[in-house]
């Protein structure tokens, strides 16, 4: 467990835990508001519970304020389900989640982390760029479309 001066801990989580589920549902609702069904690539709560996915939560005391998942795709890791409770934004939670996700990828021996995000999620773009991600083309099962932005980061 890692705690910083503002009392935020990042720990392994369970997508089925009620507070984590509520965050994921809020994330899914936001994505459904912003993007068409064909443009949404989030994983269901059940899909986040498979062994190849490491799910992390940011907690302040007993309250879950953010989450992120790392899907191990063999040759690379993929970021999924990055979300911070809107009421908790500005506390550095997303940066702390990214640091732990990076460490988890390195611990799994992954050489690269990739992600797909929506073009309207400008705060996410800034976060990912601040953590060393650069634009790339579609990967895995993704196809180019008008709303997806693909990014990658090489781990050294």
């Amino acid at each position: 467990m890692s705690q910083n001066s503002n009392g935020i801990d990042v720990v392994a989580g369970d997508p089925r835990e009620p507070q984590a589920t509520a965050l994921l549902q809020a994330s899914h609702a936001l994505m459904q508001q912003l993007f068409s069904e064909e443009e949404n690539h989030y994983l269901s709560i059940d899909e986040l519970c498979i062994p190849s996915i490491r799910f992390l939560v940011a907690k302040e005391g007993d309250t879950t304020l953010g989450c992120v998942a790392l899907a191990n795709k063999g040759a690379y890791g993929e970021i999924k389900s990055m979300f911070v409770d809107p009421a908790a934004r500005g506390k550095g939670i997303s940066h702390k989640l990214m640091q732990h996700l990076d460490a988890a990828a390195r611990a799994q021996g992954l050489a690269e982390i990739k992600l797909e995000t929506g073009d309207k999620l400008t705060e996410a773009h800034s976060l990912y760029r601040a953590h060393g991600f650069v634009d790339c083309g579609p990967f895995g099962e993704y196809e180019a479309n008008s709303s997806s932005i693909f990014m990658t980061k090489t781990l050294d």
Side-chain angles (χ1 to χ4, degrees):
M1 185 184 304
S2 174
Q3 185 169 15
N4 67 10
S5 59
N6 65 1
I8 305 295
D9 296 324
V10 175
V11 297
D14 178 353
R16 293 186 179 114
E17 186 277 322
Q19 290 185 56
T21 297
L23 279 179
L24 291 164
Q25 289 171 336
S27 173
H28 296 170
L30 176 65
M31 295 307 111
Q32 290 165 357
Q33 284 176 353
L34 294 175
F35 304 103
S36 71
E37 186 176 338
E38 304 80 48
E39 296 171 323
N40 269 306
H41 303 287
Y42 59 78
L43 297 177
S44 72
I45 289 163
D46 286 342
E47 289 171 320
L48 287 168
C49 294
I50 64 172
S52 62
I53 292 184
R54 177 135 164 89
F55 186 76
L56 302 172
V57 293
K59 298 180 81 68
E60 187 173 46
D62 293 332
T63 305
T64 301
L65 300 175
C67 61
V68 68
L70 177 68
N72 187 325
K73 301 289 189 174
Y76 61 90
E78 182 182 353
I79 296 176
K80 300 299 287 184
S81 302
M82 176 67 157
F83 189 74
V84 174
D85 183 334
R89 293 185 183 157
K91 295 182 174 190
I93 293 169
S94 60
H95 290 286
K96 195 158 176 72
L97 285 166
M98 290 298 295
Q99 291 163 356
H100 282 262
L101 182 110
D102 187 278
R106 290 172 192 275
Q108 293 179 40
L110 298 171
E112 195 172 12
I113 306 173
K114 296 178 180 274
L115 64 93
E116 178 276 339
T117 189
D119 60 346
K120 297 174 183 157
L121 302 173
T122 56
E123 289 179 359
H125 309 161
S126 297
L127 170 72
Y128 298 134
R129 283 188 175 82
H131 285 270
F133 284 81
V134 296
D135 292 346
C136 68
F139 59 90
E141 306 273 321
Y142 295 106
E143 295 180 14
N145 64 61
S146 61
S147 68
S148 287
I149 292 176
F150 302 98
M151 301 179 89
T152 186
K153 175 183 179 177
T154 301
L155 302 176
D156 43 14

